[in-house]
Amino acid sequence: VGWSIAQVARMSGVTSRTLRHYDEIGLLPPARIGSNGYRWYEQEQLIRLQQILLLRELGLGLDLIERVLDGTEAPAEVLSRHRRWLLEERDRFDRLAGTVTRTMAQLEGGGQMATEELFDGFDADRQARYEAELVDRYGDHARDGIAESKRRTQGWARQDYQAVGQQMVAVEERLVRLLESEAAVDDPRVLDAVDEHYRLVDRFWTPERESYAGLGRMYVEHPEFRARYDARHPGLAEYLRDAMAAYAAARLS
Amino acid sequence: VGWSIAQVARMSGVTSRTLRHYDEIGLLPPARIGSNGYRWYEQEQLIRLQQILLLRELGLGLDLIERVLDGTEAPAEVLSRHRRWLLEERDRFDRLAGTVTRTMAQLEGGGQMATEELFDGFDADRQARYEAELVDRYGDHARDGIAESKRRTQGWARQDYQAVGQQMVAVEERLVRLLESEAAVDDPRVLDAVDEHYRLVDRFWTPERESYAGLGRMYVEHPEFRARYDARHPGLAEYLRDAMAAYAAARLS
DNA sequence: CCGACTCTCACGCTGCGTCACAGTAA
DNA sequence: GTTACTGTGACGCAGCGTGAGAGTCG
């Protein structure tokens, strides 16, 4: 009467270890347990096991399977949710494969050491010229800004500029990853990254809500800025502009 | 000089726990460690961290990332392999979503309790008639088989037939899952399942290599068998036939 | 003296695979 | 006695999250 654990294992194609595990987590207790501790299974358990294996095949987690079989969750709804999740995963892997392909193309293009080279593109002179642009566009307030900037960087050595430049590159790369993963500009992770950007700009001058958003717009409109960001990733300039606007609206007064 | 762990964390967008983890596994040791145990990072580590994050974003494992950055593995080759894996995963999720969709359709079709109902479709009378078919087709050898079958089932009660029927259904469901996962008919998992099938048939009579393969062919050709298998899953009859042929060739003498 | 950081354990999560050691059934 | 099963732990894996408890810096 009934089947031993190894018999059930052979019949169903799982290992006895799996059956013990299912017993352990309460998903499939045996019909009875002998005085020697042996597990014995009946038809009822075999049917349940088949249902478990069916749902497991679909990729459902064991806890969810248990709730479905115990009637706690409606099968139709669970499967519907699960299907959406599967499709999202499929799309995610598809996007990842695309990103890998593009990365490979960049590597072939000789950009392997790009990260290190990038740090050369950020120095004090260029920064000063950029800020002069701001003066033209945003008038006196920005003019105050550039004066403040000069004051703050008085005692800076080459090392200090390099350090800030590096951090600027780092936050830009971080934003590229967020962009590629299609994070919204008001995503907390994006705002955190922009916050880092804001702190770096703050090393030179302290933007207000309006001037910070204006700086973002300039990244898109000014050719020299655009070139810098487009070289990093197409669309980065616009993404950064929008993210800075979202940041300004959400966290600056 | 250098940055503390929290500063690096803010700059890069990871947590300090992650940085400790990377130190722990040797992926990113800090530039130096203070006498108080504090970790301090320099530009070199920040660059390496950016590279780590880039590769991590692509979905590579940390061990692989380490080998790539240390020059043990060629980036182009690793990325190429990884891309293939990503595409396989994408296809796998796509197939799973399709299977879930079909399962949902079956549930709506009122087949929810199918598993339990299926057991009614297997009884001694029908089995006897099936075996009579074998006699017509495969002559004396099969005739010996059916005589043997009658002899073996002499003392069987309804329960015995039910038990065998249940196991037959179980192995068929198992084969359906293997079919849906597109396992080849000579896949070891398939052969194990067919072995289970063979043992069940053996409860009635012991097929030889030729007669077992012949039984498989009959599953496809005989309308009553076909109906049984087609009801379970379209294509199951042919799949079972081929799997039985592979099993006969590989494991029967 | 407090608040913000830092450190080192160490468990938890998913679903079992894989020993290790020991009792049991045929 | 041997062989084939059975049992109960317990570690391992991937990549950290999440406290706990304690020392450190400003």
Side-chain angles (χ1 to χ4, degrees):
Chain A
V1 288
W3 296 278
S4 74
I5 195 168
Q7 288 175 323
V8 173
R10 268 210 314 281
M11 284 161 48
S12 60
V14 304
T15 69
S16 58
R17 175 67 179 88
T18 299
L19 293 172
R20 289 197 193 92
H21 183 60
Y22 289 174
D23 180 14
E24 201 173 312
I25 64 175
L27 177 58
L28 180 67
R32 57 195 181 77
I33 296 184
S35 57
N36 51 17
Y38 282 26
R39 294 171 175 81
W40 294 99
Y41 297 84
E42 300 285 346
Q43 295 204 2
E44 189 184 343
Q45 283 72 45
L46 285 193
I47 292 175
R48 188 174 169 94
L49 177 55
Q50 295 307 323
Q51 295 171 334
I52 291 171
L53 294 180
L54 170 66
L55 295 176
R56 193 185 70 167
E57 186 71 12
L58 302 179
L60 272 77
L62 295 184
D63 53 344
L64 199 53
I65 292 178
E66 184 169 2
R67 289 202 296 274
V68 169
L69 294 186
D70 293 351
T72 311
E73 301 247 19
E77 193 195 337
V78 167
L79 289 181
S80 179
R81 279 207 315 265
H82 185 57
R83 197 171 67 95
R84 278 201 301 279
W85 180 78
L86 288 171
L87 291 175
E88 283 170 15
E89 283 297 288
R90 179 199 63 181
D91 293 343
R92 196 170 66 84
F93 278 103
D94 200 36
R95 284 199 306 271
L96 275 180
T99 304
V100 170
T101 302
R102 269 172 282 147
T103 302
M104 289 173 68
Q106 284 184 9
L107 284 185
E108 295 221 0
Q112 187 168 5
M113 303 307 289
T115 303
E116 284 161 7
E117 292 169 3
L118 286 177
F119 294 100
D120 300 336
F122 192 94
D123 60 60
D125 283 355
R126 201 169 301 196
Q127 183 68 22
R129 273 185 286 135
Y130 290 158
E131 287 172 341
E133 291 285 334
L134 266 181
V135 175
D136 284 351
R137 292 174 171 251
Y138 299 99
D140 289 346
H141 189 66
R143 196 182 307 272
D144 294 347
I146 194 166
E148 177 68 13
S149 171
K150 285 223 162 71
R151 208 172 52 72
R152 290 193 193 177
T153 57
Q154 278 281 323
W156 282 28
R158 163 170 288 275
Q159 283 191 337
D160 298 308
Y161 285 109
Q162 274 197 342
V164 172
Q166 163 146 22
Q167 294 181 54
M168 197 61 99
V169 170
V171 78
E172 284 162 10
E173 289 193 2
R174 190 171 156 191
L175 281 163
V176 166
R177 281 197 296 278
L178 289 163
L179 192 169
E180 291 213 320
S181 68
E182 297 175 19
V185 290
D186 57 352
D187 184 301
R189 292 170 301 166
V190 176
L191 292 183
D192 283 350
V194 175
D195 185 59
E196 192 64 23
H197 179 265
Y198 180 84
R199 288 163 191 269
L200 288 172
V201 174
D202 186 51
R203 299 287 296 270
F204 301 98
W205 58 292
T206 302
E208 310 288 321
R209 182 199 279 249
E210 271 313 307
S211 51
Y212 190 61
L215 180 62
R217 288 193 296 277
M218 199 183 68
Y219 287 166
V220 171
E221 295 163 13
H222 192 287
E224 205 160 355
F225 273 109
R226 264 214 87 92
R228 172 187 167 91
Y229 291 114
D230 283 351
R232 202 80 90 250
H233 191 283
L236 177 58
E238 287 84 354
Y239 189 70
L240 180 53
R241 175 198 59 192
D242 297 342
M244 286 170 72
Y247 176 84
R251 302 200 190 172
L252 295 182
S253 61
Chain B
V1 289
W3 296 277
S4 74
I5 195 167
Q7 287 175 321
V8 174
R10 268 209 316 279
M11 284 162 48
S12 60
V14 304
T15 69
S16 58
R17 176 67 178 91
T18 299
L19 292 173
R20 289 197 193 92
H21 183 60
Y22 290 173
D23 180 14
E24 200 174 313
I25 64 176
L27 177 58
L28 182 67
R32 56 193 182 77
I33 297 184
S35 57
N36 51 15
Y38 283 25
R39 295 171 176 81
W40 293 99
Y41 297 85
E42 300 287 346
Q43 296 203 1
E44 189 183 345
Q45 283 72 46
L46 285 193
I47 291 175
R48 188 175 167 94
L49 177 56
Q50 294 307 323
Q51 294 170 336
I52 290 170
L53 295 181
L54 169 65
L55 295 176
R56 194 184 70 167
E57 185 72 12
L58 302 179
L60 272 77
L62 297 183
D63 53 344
L64 200 52
I65 291 177
E66 184 168 4
R67 289 202 296 274
V68 169
L69 293 187
D70 292 351
T72 311
E73 301 246 19
E77 193 195 338
V78 168
L79 289 181
S80 178
R81 278 207 316 265
H82 185 59
R83 196 172 66 95
R84 279 201 300 278
W85 180 79
L86 288 171
L87 291 175
E88 284 170 17
E89 283 297 289
R90 179 199 61 183
D91 293 342
R92 196 170 67 84
F93 278 102
D94 200 36
R95 284 199 305 272
L96 274 180
T99 304
V100 170
T101 302
R102 271 173 280 148
T103 301
M104 290 173 67
Q106 283 184 10
L107 284 185
E108 295 221 358
Q112 188 168 5
M113 303 307 289
T115 303
E116 284 160 6
E117 293 168 2
L118 286 177
F119 293 101
D120 301 334
F122 194 94
D123 60 58
D125 284 356
R126 203 169 297 197
Q127 184 66 24
R129 274 185 284 132
Y130 290 159
E131 288 173 339
E133 290 286 335
L134 266 183
V135 176
D136 285 353
R137 293 174 171 251
Y138 299 99
D140 289 348
H141 188 67
R143 194 183 307 277
D144 294 348
I146 194 169
E148 178 68 14
S149 170
K150 285 226 162 68
R151 208 171 52 72
R152 289 192 194 178
T153 57
Q154 277 281 324
W156 282 27
R158 163 171 287 276
Q159 284 191 336
D160 299 310
Y161 285 109
Q162 274 197 342
V164 172
Q166 162 146 23
Q167 294 182 53
M168 197 62 99
V169 170
V171 77
E172 284 161 9
E173 289 193 3
R174 189 171 155 193
L175 281 163
V176 166
R177 281 196 297 277
L178 288 163
L179 192 168
E180 292 211 321
S181 68
E182 298 177 19
V185 290
D186 57 352
D187 185 299
R189 292 170 300 165
V190 175
L191 293 183
D192 282 350
V194 175
D195 185 59
E196 191 64 24
H197 179 266
Y198 180 85
R199 287 164 193 269
L200 288 172
V201 174
D202 186 52
R203 299 287 297 270
F204 302 98
W205 60 292
T206 302
E208 311 288 323
R209 180 199 280 245
E210 269 314 305
S211 51
Y212 190 59
L215 180 64
R217 288 194 295 276
M218 200 183 69
Y219 287 167
V220 171
E221 295 163 11
H222 191 287
E224 204 160 357
F225 272 108
R226 264 216 87 91
R228 172 186 167 90
Y229 291 113
D230 283 351
R232 203 79 90 249
H233 191 282
L236 177 59
E238 287 85 354
Y239 189 70
L240 179 53
R241 176 197 60 192
D242 296 341
M244 287 170 72
Y247 175 83
R251 300 200 191 174
L252 295 181
S253 63

